[in-house]
């Protein structure tokens, strides 16, 4: 169980729930899963998107993006090689952040929107770093022992 004296017990109980980390990995990667599937289904549009942002050869960037989005999401969700999936998705997000949100070249409302998106992407990268750190510090319990650990923690 987590041990912070300034945190209410009910919050500690929620944050200690064994299924919480695996569960939140799904929405964390959802944009990449959906994006990867969309790009896979409409590959010409994926190539056009990469070309639009000046990434050449566009077909190679589109292919790499699909692989990183789908495989990276899968490994983050399953809890295996999380560092690799989170790292790949973080690097992909950084590339997108600089290619698509170059607010320093814009003015007005366009700059405002790009600046917000840039820092939203930065926050997402930080989220991937935290997921990787958590996966190293608290590996996913084996399904057969997760319930046992949960019961032991409730007696503290």
């Amino acid at each position: 169980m987590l041990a912070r004296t300034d945190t209410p017990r009910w919050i500690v109980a929620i944050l200690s729930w064994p299924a919480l980390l695996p569960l939140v990995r799904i929405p964390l990667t959802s944009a990449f899963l959906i994006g990867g599937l969309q790009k896979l289904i409409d590959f010409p549009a994926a190539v056009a998107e990469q070309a639009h942002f000046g990434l050449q050869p566009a077909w190679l960037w589109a292919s790499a993006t699909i692989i990183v989005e789908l495989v990276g999401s899968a490994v983050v969700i399953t809890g295996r090689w999380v560092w690799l999936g989170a790292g790949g998705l973080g690097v992909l997000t950084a590339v997108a952040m600089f290619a698509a949100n170059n607010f320093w070249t814009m003015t007005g409302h366009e700059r405002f929107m790009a600046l917000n998106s840039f820092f939203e992407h930065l926050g997402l990268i930080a989220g991937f770093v935290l997921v990787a750190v958590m996966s190293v510090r608290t590996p996913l319990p084996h399904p057969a022992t997760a319930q046992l650990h949960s019961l032991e923690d409730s007696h503290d």
Side-chain angles (χ1 to χ4, degrees):
M1 182 169 270
L2 300 173
R4 288 285 313 243
T5 57
D6 62 338
T7 307
R9 283 185 62 75
W10 66 276
I11 296 291
V12 172
I14 292 170
L15 296 177
S16 298
W17 183 42
L20 183 63
L21 286 176
L23 185 64
V24 298
R25 290 175 180 177
I26 296 168
L28 177 65
T29 59
S30 63
F32 298 96
L33 285 170
I34 292 166
L37 289 172
Q38 283 183 309
K39 289 172 183 71
L40 188 61
I41 291 167
D42 190 355
F43 190 71
V47 172
E49 177 186 41
Q50 302 304 313
H52 170 77
F53 291 117
L55 300 171
Q56 296 294 336
W59 67 268
L60 182 61
W61 279 96
S63 300
T65 298
I66 292 167
I67 292 167
V68 170
E69 285 184 330
L70 296 178
V71 174
S73 295
V75 297
V76 167
I77 290 169
T78 63
R80 303 287 180 191
W81 298 348
V82 173
W83 61 271
L84 181 62
L89 292 170
V91 169
L92 178 66
T93 302
V95 170
M97 185 172 86
F98 285 101
N101 298 302
N102 52 346
F103 64 89
W104 53 90
T105 66
M106 301 172 184
T107 59
H109 185 69
E110 183 181 41
R111 181 181 192 283
F112 175 83
M113 297 298 290
L115 180 68
N116 283 341
S117 184
F118 184 90
F119 284 99
E120 287 170 357
H121 282 79
L122 186 60
L124 185 55
I125 293 167
F128 283 124
V129 170
L130 288 173
V131 165
V133 167
M134 292 301 299
S135 74
V136 171
R137 291 188 182 173
T138 54
L140 289 176
H142 187 277
T145 61
Q147 185 63 32
L148 176 63
H149 290 299
S150 179
L151 290 172
E152 289 172 353
D153 289 343
S154 68
H155 295 331
D156 289 343

